[in-house]
């Protein structure tokens, strides 16, 4: 009589990578102070104000995440070219060392890119709730043009003059902020997920300080050829205080950008 066959040991398959790509629109409002070549203006513009003031409102935004078990790698890109007019900006002050009056501000145009890269690690899970710690870096690129009305007493030594306007141009401004944060993922129901994220950065290494808060809700729309599509709605707020230079070379971006987020996510 032959012995019974040994039980077959089935080794569970190791977790595999999954990927999610989310193109989205961020309907951004601006609140804060912009300083270009020592001239500071206060900005208070809603998304509707920005759309009205921008000759061409151009934006490219997307988020990508790769996950394997508790580990996730992510990147997020925002590129925009926006403007605000005299109804939503007002003159404030001159930086030390800048002579003459500031004059009435007429408009502000900003070209901006924000690129986040980082990693997240799931440190806690209980049923539908998961908690991640994350870290990475946020790269900023900006180029700003401030147009001012020419008036008596306005110093134009470092400005470009065209017609009845003087233009303060920043040129290219770039910096990198380290960032640390956390996020909560909660599965409300199958195919429905709530995400809350917060992070801080800068720490005087790039900007003086920055913070970000995001709340988003994702809901599955369907699956096509192995790709699961979901709608995403939420709200994003991003604040940064960055400054460089003195006098006529002073550049500062002390600004809160915030607004609703709408997107479509593809997971595969």
């Amino acid at each position: 009589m032959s012995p019974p066959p040994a039980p077959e040991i089935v080794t569970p398959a190791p977790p595999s990578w999954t990927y999610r790509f989310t193109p989205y629109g961020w309907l951004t409002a601006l609140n804060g102070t912009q300083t270009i070549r020592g001239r500071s203006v206060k900005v208070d513009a809603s998304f509707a104000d920005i759309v009205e003031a921008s000759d061409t409102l151009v934006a490219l935004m997307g988020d990508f995440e790769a996950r394997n078990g508790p580990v996730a790698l992510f990147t997020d890109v925002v590129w925009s070219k926006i403007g605000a007019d005299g109804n939503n900006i007002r003159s404030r002050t001159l930086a030390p060392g800048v002579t003459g009056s500031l004059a009435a501000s007429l408009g502000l145009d900003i070209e901006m890119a924000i690129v986040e890269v980082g990693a997240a690690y799931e440190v806690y899970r209980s049923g539908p709730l998961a908690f991640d710690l994350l870290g990475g870096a946020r790269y900023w690129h900006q180029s700003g043009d401030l147009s001012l009305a020419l008036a008596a007493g306005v110093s134009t030594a470092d400005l470009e003059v065209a017609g009845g306007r003087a233009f303060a141009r920043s040129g290219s401004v770039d910096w990198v902020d380290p960032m640390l944060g956390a996020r909560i993922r909660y599965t409300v129901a199958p195919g429905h997920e709530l995400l809350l994220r917060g992070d801080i950065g800068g720490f005087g290494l790039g900007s003086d300080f920055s913070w970000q808060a995001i709340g988003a809700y994702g809901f599955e729309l369907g699956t096509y050829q192995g790709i699961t599509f979901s709608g995403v709605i939420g709200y994003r707020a991003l604040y940064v205080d960055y400054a460089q230079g003195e006098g006529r070379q002073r550049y500062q971006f002390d600004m809160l950008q915030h607004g609703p987020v709408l997107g479509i996510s593809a997971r595969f």
Side-chain angles (χ1 to χ4, degrees), residues 10 21-22 28-29 34 43 112 132 142 144 154 180 184 187 189-190 196 215 219 222-223 241 255-256 258 260:
V10 179
F21 174 60
T22 309
T28 312
Q34 172 82 77
V43 183
M112 178 163 44
D132 299 334
Q142 293 183 354
V154 176
L180 298 171
I184 294 173
T187 303
L196 301 174
F219 49 95
T223 301
D241 182 7
M255 196 73 64
L256 172 64
H258 61 98

Side-chain angles (χ1 to χ4, degrees), residues 70 72 74 119-124 131-135 180-184:
F74 64 86
Y121 189 82
E122 184 182 292
V123 295
Y124 175 79
F131 182 79
D132 299 334
L133 294 180
L134 58 89
L180 298 171
R183 66 182 178 184
I184 294 173

Side-chain angles (χ1 to χ4, degrees), residues 12-57:
S16 59
W17 287 96
T18 59
Y19 307 94
R20 187 189 68 228
F21 174 60
T22 309
Y24 64 88
W26 185 17
L27 311 185
T28 312
L30 298 176
N31 300 97
T33 302
Q34 172 82 77
T35 301
I36 300 176
R37 292 197 172 274
R39 284 84 174 173
S40 295
V41 293
K42 179 71 173 179
V43 183
D44 185 10
S46 67
F47 177 73
D49 296 329
I50 291 172
V51 171
E52 183 178 354
S54 300
D55 295 332
T56 56
L57 182 63

Side-chain angles (χ1 to χ4, degrees), residues 46-133:
S46 67
F47 177 73
D49 296 329
I50 291 172
V51 171
E52 183 178 354
S54 300
D55 295 332
T56 56
L57 182 63
V58 182
L60 176 65
M61 306 173 186
D63 180 89
F64 177 80
E65 179 169 310
R67 174 171 287 277
N68 189 336
V71 178
L73 306 175
F74 64 86
T75 184
D76 183 272
V77 177
V78 172
W79 182 85
S80 60
K81 189 173 183 180
I82 58 179
D85 62 18
N87 295 323
N88 308 109
I89 61 176
R90 67 175 188 272
S91 301
R92 291 196 67 191
T93 58
L94 292 172
V98 181
T99 59
S101 60
L102 181 59
S105 52
L106 295 177
L108 175 66
D109 293 297
I110 306 172
E111 180 179 333
M112 178 163 44
I114 308 168
V115 181
E116 293 181 0
V117 292
Y121 189 82
E122 184 182 292
V123 295
Y124 175 79
R125 175 175 285 275
S126 177
L129 179 67
F131 182 79
D132 299 334
L133 294 180

Side-chain angles (χ1 to χ4, degrees), residues 35-39 95-98 158 169-171 173 242-252:
T35 301
I36 300 176
R37 292 197 172 274
R39 284 84 174 173
V98 181
D158 61 330
R169 304 191 189 277
S170 70
V173 180
Y242 173 81
Q244 70 173 33
E246 298 295 336
R248 296 184 186 276
Q249 301 304 314
R250 179 72 170 176
Y251 181 89
Q252 184 173 14

